[in-house]
Amino acid sequence: MSDDMNPSRRTLLTGGAAVAATMAASAAAANSMDPVEAPSAVNPDGRFAGKVIAVTGGNSGIGAATVRAFAMEGGQVVFGARRDELGRQVEAEIREAGGDVTWVQTDVRDPAQVERFVNATTDTYGRLDVLFNNAGIFMTPALIEDIAIENFDDMMLTNANGVFYGMKYAIPVMKAQGNGVIVNMASVAAHRGFPNTAHYNASKHAVLGLTRAGAQLAKDNIRVTSISPLAVDTPMLEESFEFQGLTYEGMADFFVTPRIMDPNEMAEGILFLASDAATAFNGMDFDATGGQLA
């Protein structure tokens, strides 16, 4: 580094106010304790201008933040989830901000509904450039012997089968058009064996298996990745913490980055994986745990 790019301590203390201010601003921008804010306006020439994106589980939490982020970056977004009223509300809010979004009520446990969702995307916009398989649930924590069989089955149907169905119906579309990107929602639980969430662990380990199997699609110009958050400020996390008698402040002390993550910063990671800047990322999981898996 040149002297011009590496000011001395004396320079900073005696007249280097402008340099110091620049360095302080840079440090603030890179501060791991200050997550990014949600975009507020559409950039018609953004990273996803002309791209068509489909998002499952897009009516709240990370899904809703990602739908908005894609739309603000110029993308045309179709999103689905189970709760119709909430989905229509998210659709209206993003459209009011200028985003191009379409809501399609979808239950990913049903393969016919996932196929309909993919078809609705291509029928509306003519192609499918990015699929974000985000739909997921988090059941009441319990030890293996105490997990109800129907709860285990529902967890796997939603978190694992839903990802499989999305990939199954999106891949032929992407092969036919000659390119595409799939991003799957994994979790820190895909890398750990937490004793009181075996059903959730199993579903997210399955997501990693599907992601790794998808690496072979590179020959068809299709990339498949996944992302693993830790604790993100979503309604699902709030419900889980309330049930267990936990608080955000208390749990943050146990994390390498001592805070709860924000949906908007997860959205930024997902947009990176889906973008043309991530062409070397394929068949791998993106650690978004703030260092918890280090």
Side-chain angles (χ1 to χ4, degrees):
M1 181 180 291
S2 70
D3 291 342
D4 289 341
M5 296 297 292
N6 188 23
S8 68
R9 181 173 181 269
R10 177 178 176 83
T11 300
L12 292 176
L13 291 176
T14 60
V19 176
T22 299
M23 293 183 68
S26 176
N31 191 337
S32 64
M33 297 302 289
D34 294 321
V36 298
E37 296 183 1
S40 58
V42 173
N43 177 6
D45 299 317
R47 286 173 285 174
F48 291 91
K51 297 288 184 69
V52 176
I53 302 100
V55 178
T56 65
N59 61 1
S60 68
I62 295 172
T66 305
V67 169
R68 182 181 183 88
F70 273 124
M72 295 302 103
E73 284 289 335
Q76 298 170 305
V77 189
V78 177
F79 70 106
R82 298 182 197 176
R83 292 173 289 178
D84 187 56
E85 184 177 351
L86 184 56
R88 293 185 183 279
Q89 179 182 330
V90 172
E91 178 187 50
E93 291 172 354
I94 297 176
R95 284 184 174 179
E96 186 176 352
D100 187 348
V101 295
T102 300
W103 161 252
V104 179
Q105 185 178 21
T106 306
D107 185 342
V108 299
R109 297 173 298 182
D110 180 358
Q113 291 194 40
V114 178
E115 183 178 24
R116 185 194 66 186
F117 174 71
V118 171
N119 289 341
T121 303
T122 56
D123 289 346
T124 302
Y125 294 111
R127 58 184 297 111
L128 173 56
D129 297 293
V130 178
L131 171 65
F132 176 35
N133 280 312
N134 174 68
I137 57 173
F138 187 90
M139 291 287 191
T140 301
L143 297 175
I144 293 175
E145 64 270 27
D146 296 324
I147 296 172
I149 290 174
E150 58 268 24
N151 286 351
F152 184 90
D153 290 345
D154 196 33
M155 179 74 74
M156 296 302 292
L157 274 172
T158 307
N159 294 5
N161 287 39
V163 170
F164 163 66
Y165 300 149
M167 293 177 68
K168 174 178 174 60
Y169 295 116
I171 287 169
V173 174
M174 293 177 174
K175 281 185 174 181
Q177 69 192 22
N179 58 65
V181 179
I182 297 173
V183 182
N184 298 325
M185 176 54 74
S187 166
V188 64
H191 302 269
R192 295 287 186 265
F194 301 120
N196 64 336
T197 59
H199 42 350
Y200 188 72
N201 303 348
S203 70
K204 294 303 184 178
H205 275 72
V207 171
L208 290 195
L210 287 164
T211 299
R212 289 165 178 159
Q216 65 178 323
L217 294 164
K219 66 181 182 297
D220 297 298
N221 204 25
I222 300 170
R223 290 190 298 106
V224 182
T225 60
S226 59
I227 184 168
S228 284
L230 181 58
V232 182
D233 185 12
T234 65
M236 191 163 67
L237 181 72
E238 184 178 356
E239 182 180 350
S240 174
F241 274 22
E242 183 177 351
F243 176 83
Q244 298 176 81
L246 304 174
T247 66
Y248 281 17
E249 294 78 13
M251 285 303 297
D253 291 339
F254 293 96
F255 301 149
V256 173
T257 300
R259 64 175 175 84
I260 302 299
M261 298 292 170
D262 183 86
N264 297 311
E265 61 187 328
M266 295 299 109
E268 284 300 315
I270 293 154
L271 263 64
F272 166 72
L273 291 174
S275 75
D276 294 338
T279 51
F281 291 76
N282 183 42
M284 51 74 68
D285 185 61
F286 193 79
D287 179 355
T289 67
Q292 204 69 20
L293 293 175

